[in-house]
Amino acid sequence: MKFLKFEQSKRTVFLLILLLINAVPAFCYPEEQGVSAAELLREIAIVVTIIAIAVLIVVEFFLKNKIARGSYKWALFLGLFMLPVIAMVGSTTTLMHETTTVESCASCHIMEPFVNDLRNEESPTLAARHFKNKWIAENQCYHCHTSYGIHGTAEAKRDGFRHWLMYVTDTWPEPITFKGSYPNQNCTTCHGSTKKFQTVNSHIALREKLMNNEVSCSSCHGPAHPTPLERGNPIQPVEPSDNQEDELVWHQHDVENSYEVYNYVKTLGTEKILGIEQTSSVSP
Amino acid sequence: MKNEETDSFEGLSRRDFLRLASLGSGMVFLGGCGDIRELWQRQPVIAVDSWHKGVCRFCGTGCGMQIGLHEGKVVDVRGDKYAHNRGRLCIKGVMNRDILYAPDRALYPMIRNNGKLVTASWDDAMSLVAERFKDAIETYGSDSVGYFGSGQLFTEESYTASKLFKAGIRTNNVDGNPRLCMASPAYAYTGIFGLDEPMGCYDDMDHANCFLITGSNTAECHPILWERIQDRIRSRPETPIIVVDPRHTRTARDADLHLQIIPGTDVALYNSLMYEVVRRGAADEEMLAKFVTFKQGDENKDFEAFREHLSNYSPEKVAAVCGISAESIREAAYLFISSGATMTIWTMGLNQQVQGVASNQLIIALHLLTGNIGRPGATCFSLTGQPNAGGGVRDTGALSHSLPNGRKILVPEHRREMEKLWNVPEGTIKPTPGYHAVEMFKAMESGELKCALIMATNPGQSMPNTTRYRAAMEKAFLVVADAFHPTNTTIFADVVLPTSMWAEKGGVFSNSERRYHHVPKLVEAPGEARSDLNILVDFADRLGLGHILPARTPEAVWEEWRNISQYSYYNFKGITYERMKKERGLLWPCPTEDHPGTCRRYVPGEDPMAKGNDRLDFYGRPDGRAIIFIHNQQGPPEPPTDDYPFILTTGRVLEHWHTDTITGRLEELERVPVDFVEVHPADAQRLNLRQDMPVMVRSNRGGDVFRVRIVEKTREGMLFTTFHSMKRIINHATTDAYDPISKQPAYKYCAVAIEPVSTTKPAADEVS
């Protein structure tokens, strides 16, 4: 392994070449027009991780006694610090990017009703309309659930991490609801500057209240997603949770009632069908 | 020392500076992330201690809401996701959080003394009221007193007032603002089906394949229902909306077909639509054979006579009458017929005409004729304007011609039934109807009505031809119970009684779709304000009629009322307070406590009152058949003349409600102007009117000054303004001509002149 004995400047050149080679697979998809930074970094992270592991194994188990002490240190520096740093940057970017996609949100089963609704052409919810009309081109969940600026991103990641934590520990309350006050700025960033928005009297009247999030845009234009009753299966009523009390008054009876209605209508149907059968059998 | 000095920066070492700078930027970042509590849960902007289920105070949509309390005050409201409105509220709904704390709440009883209202104790005020009523009854008979109520009182209150006056005081002078609002549909339904209230429900909006919206600016007046209609369009974009309105409203803007008819020509148009139905052979044979009969007035007719009548209403003829094209009439009829399930929605545009009942009945006839009835999405559905005009006033019979649950004063058996149910001697209820709204104020004018109790309404602004009836109100001994003072009515009062409102008292509201739902008492009323029920009970006691009202709390009154309903087709015995507190209201009929309520009436299998297993059962009629009434188009009550060349029609804007007693006092809503008059650009040019110019809008009865708004919304020769403004009262100009059947005034049509005024003249009776 002669290259480990190269001059320092040559080593640097070698590392640069190595990095560039790493990037090659990213360009190997002829059908795709270019590649995003996130995808590039993902490829780099994967390759660099493999190289780092290989370098460490080879150096530690095969070359430790064959090479000079200085070269050994350099090799460890490369395997234990340089390459992991590159891998970490790549993987973090990948993770940050991946968690902005609708697929990522859909990967938790609890989100299924929301994502199904989003993709439902016939759904009238705000989310579905923004999706099907391509008002938001991609990463639709993330787009509306992240405020602008570094704080918005940090908050979204914080909430996302918390949600993930609750999901994997099975500690979420059902039905899930949006807590707190939805930041209207997420809506007004796109809509606020349009004439259509500005000339609406209700918007003029509620200007301060909308700016302070004291009234949510979804108060009038919602619901953004299917309501708990629309999400739920009437045959398996969702159980209320104590945690819900600070968000909404829960009435279990309501769901039971919808179940009752469902059963009642079913019985009606059968009776009616039976009735018709009876009459039809009697009449010629 | 020297080295240290060169290394430091304004007293800080480089290291300290860097440390502080990074700490500072870190803190700025973390600070921007907000509340530390948000690490485990996002926090709302408005802190709320507890949430309670309730219903909006405003229109007849009856949106469910969650009411948030903090330290004994209402601080926030949110749409109830479990209610029919799916969590939505309009701006008025949102503003419920502020209405209780708006300025000018009436806090103490007041008695007029030397022409001025002065604060008095409840005892003094109520003693005076009782004394004056007693005097009038003893001297001039029981018909010298009256009650003018409101579709904004709780059911318990309207029911109690009606019972006290009809069975206690023994006068049928019980009427109220629902006469100005929903009398025409009430008469139309009763005439056709034998029972009041629509047969459909909001759920039909989710199934309709075509909407005919006539005489309703749904987008502004029932915005949450409009959103539900829009939801249907979003799910099924090919669903057409046909709008019939003389004005290009926000609703018409989003319509697929807008028939911008000349005001007051509805009867001709609907006849023409039916002409097209028959011409295309789209009349439902089964309906004709089994479920409908024909009538003209009291005279029985048959389908041939009906067809003969329709022959006068070909689209070509009607096009000239309505001022629209024959093609558009044909197209509208085709869309209506071909959809498979058409839902018609209407409100004040039809009701407030001299042919209000006729227009209502023809719309229902269109549905009966095409069989667009009793199926999901196929229904005719009137919208109400008040939170409790249906259940509170129409169902309780708190009108001068009616008794509870669709009974009529004129029918002796109905009177006997009610006397028995109310436990009063036979013959207690007088056999003749009392004064309806307009007549009641005329009786004040003539001096026949000596004393009147007005509750939760503002006739000093909402009556047509207001100038005349304001003078009339000054003649009578007027007791006004309202949550606000001054209003355009309290300024004429001899006694003002402060009342609690909305969540300051508990009770039942009912919305357009027969849904009875509960508003809980959550907070205390300001000052000495009391609930209207409390006032009525006190009043009864002081008149020595306490025994008429054994039920004295909302719960007790409801208990009495739901039990009485079981002896009628309105049966809602199964709607208990407990159920209403748990559920988001229930639609009657609902005879038992395990019944889930009825979405579509007259449908066997769905409506517990309907018998048999046929397609429909109009059980309100002795023969089980609904009636298609034959009506002919009449001329306008007040055609434009050279002196009064414009047709004036009135309406609303989304952000305000009724006479602005509440919404006009909210800072946010004051930003939305209401005292404007819409003028067609051609008219504006001809009269040399400029945008925002003050103009007098005047009929031969009177008028007021409004700001010109030049828009291509109205037809040429037509003006539009709202009746909201407390300061500019358009009802000085409107006509008190009314529908001969329903006695509902024709607010939507009067002849006016418009002329510039040099400076803004102060309104005649400006509320000070």
Side-chain angles (χ1 to χ4, degrees), chain B residues 357-430:
Chain B
V357 174
S359 309
N360 271 270
Q361 289 191 331
L362 289 178
I363 280 294
I364 300 169
L366 190 56
H367 281 263
L368 289 169
L369 189 66
T370 54
N372 268 299
I373 200 157
R375 286 180 287 116
T379 196
C380 42
F381 193 79
S382 57
L383 303 177
T384 56
Q386 297 191 85
N388 199 24
V393 178
R394 284 155 70 186
D395 301 352
T396 63
L399 290 166
S400 61
H401 67 281
S402 59
L403 286 168
N405 300 130
R407 295 181 182 87
K408 291 177 186 128
I409 296 271
L410 281 173
V411 181
E413 299 83 63
H414 289 175
R415 292 200 303 275
R416 295 297 93 81
E417 273 173 33
M418 281 323 296
E419 281 156 358
K420 228 181 246 172
L421 290 169
W422 276 344
N423 210 8
V424 291
E426 197 174 306
T428 301
I429 300 171
K430 288 199 172 174

Side-chain angles (χ1 to χ4, degrees), chain A residues 144-191:
Chain A
C144 291
H145 283 282
T146 308
S147 305
Y148 276 72
I150 184 77
H151 290 133
T153 310
E155 279 167 12
K157 295 297 172 191
R158 175 199 67 199
D159 289 351
F161 180 69
R162 187 178 62 226
H163 294 162
W164 172 80
L165 216 56
M166 287 167 104
Y167 183 73
V168 294
T169 54
D170 204 5
T171 51
W172 77 87
E174 184 69 285
I176 58 169
T177 49
F178 186 86
K179 304 289 193 300
S181 307
Y182 184 77
N184 292 332
Q185 207 199 346
N186 293 2
C187 307
T188 52
T189 305
C190 295
H191 295 276

Side-chain angles (χ1 to χ4, degrees), chain A residues 122 124 129 132 150-151 154-155 158-159 162 175 179-181 201-202 204-209 212-215 219-220 222-223 227-230 246-251 253-254 257 261 264 268, chain B residues 28-29 32-33 38-46 51-53 66 78 81-82 86-91 94-95 97-98 227 231 234-235 581-584 595-596 605 613 654-655 668 671-672:
Chain A
E122 288 187 2
R129 282 148 61 198
K132 76 174 166 192
I150 184 77
H151 290 133
E155 279 167 12
R158 175 199 67 199
D159 289 351
R162 187 178 62 226
K179 304 289 193 300
S181 307
N201 278 334
S202 294
I204 296 167
L206 290 177
R207 193 168 48 224
E208 291 83 12
K209 285 195 152 108
N212 299 334
N213 299 327
E214 287 172 19
V215 175
S219 292
C220 304
T227 65
L229 281 180
E230 290 160 355
D246 32 308
E247 171 68 19
L248 283 171
V249 189
W250 172 265
H251 291 284
H253 204 91
D254 224 57
N257 184 45
V261 175
Y264 179 78
L268 271 184
Chain B
V28 166
F29 177 78
C33 288
E38 299 216 329
L39 276 176
W40 54 91
Q41 181 156 308
R42 290 246 187 187
Q43 298 297 314
V45 172
I46 300 171
W51 289 98
H52 305 266
K53 179 177 77 72
Q66 295 284 339
R78 288 188 191 175
K81 287 174 190 160
Y82 296 89
R86 302 175 77 218
R88 283 173 175 142
L89 293 176
C90 73
I91 186 169
V94 169
M95 294 311 290
R97 67 165 76 140
D98 291 336
E227 276 299 308
D231 279 350
R234 286 161 191 149
S235 301
K581 281 179 181 170
K582 282 178 193 153
E583 296 172 29
R584 268 58 176 180
H595 191 277
N613 54 11
L654 196 158
E655 291 79 10
E668 288 84 357
R671 292 176 194 165
V672 180

Side-chain angles (χ1 to χ4, degrees), chain B residues 264-291:
Chain B
T265 58
D266 297 73
V267 170
L269 177 69
Y270 308 143
N271 274 323
S272 188
L273 293 177
M274 286 195 282
Y275 173 99
E276 278 294 291
V277 170
V278 174
R279 185 184 71 82
R280 285 187 186 274
D284 188 319
E285 300 291 337
E286 193 190 5
M287 289 297 292
L288 292 177
K290 285 162 112 178
F291 303 113

Side-chain angles (χ1 to χ4, degrees), chain B residues 120-167:
Chain B
S121 71
W122 268 104
D123 194 46
D124 288 348
M126 289 308 294
S127 304
L128 176 67
V129 173
E131 190 187 316
R132 292 296 296 266
F133 268 72
K134 259 186 189 167
D135 282 354
I137 295 165
E138 277 163 21
T139 322
Y140 304 101
S142 61
D143 284 339
S144 66
V145 300
Y147 163 84
F148 193 77
S150 167
Q152 295 159 51
L153 291 174
F154 287 129
T155 301
E156 295 88 333
E157 295 168 336
S158 291
Y159 168 80
T160 302
S162 180
K163 186 182 179 190
L164 172 63
F165 276 76
K166 285 173 181 163

Side-chain angles (χ1 to χ4, degrees), chain B residues 151-215:
Chain B
Q152 295 159 51
L153 291 174
F154 287 129
T155 301
E156 295 88 333
E157 295 168 336
S158 291
Y159 168 80
T160 302
S162 180
K163 186 182 179 190
L164 172 63
F165 276 76
K166 285 173 181 163
I169 296 174
R170 296 195 61 232
T171 177
N172 294 329
N173 292 337
V174 173
D175 220 63
N177 63 15
R179 178 76 65 181
L180 316 175
C181 170
M182 293 306 285
S184 293
Y187 273 88
Y189 285 127
T190 313
I192 289 173
F193 302 109
L195 295 169
D196 189 12
E197 300 270 6
M199 68 293 301
C201 57
Y202 294 159
D203 188 55
D204 284 314
M205 293 175 183
D206 305 337
H207 302 284
N209 292 338
C210 172
F211 291 95
L212 171 60
I213 301 177
T214 173

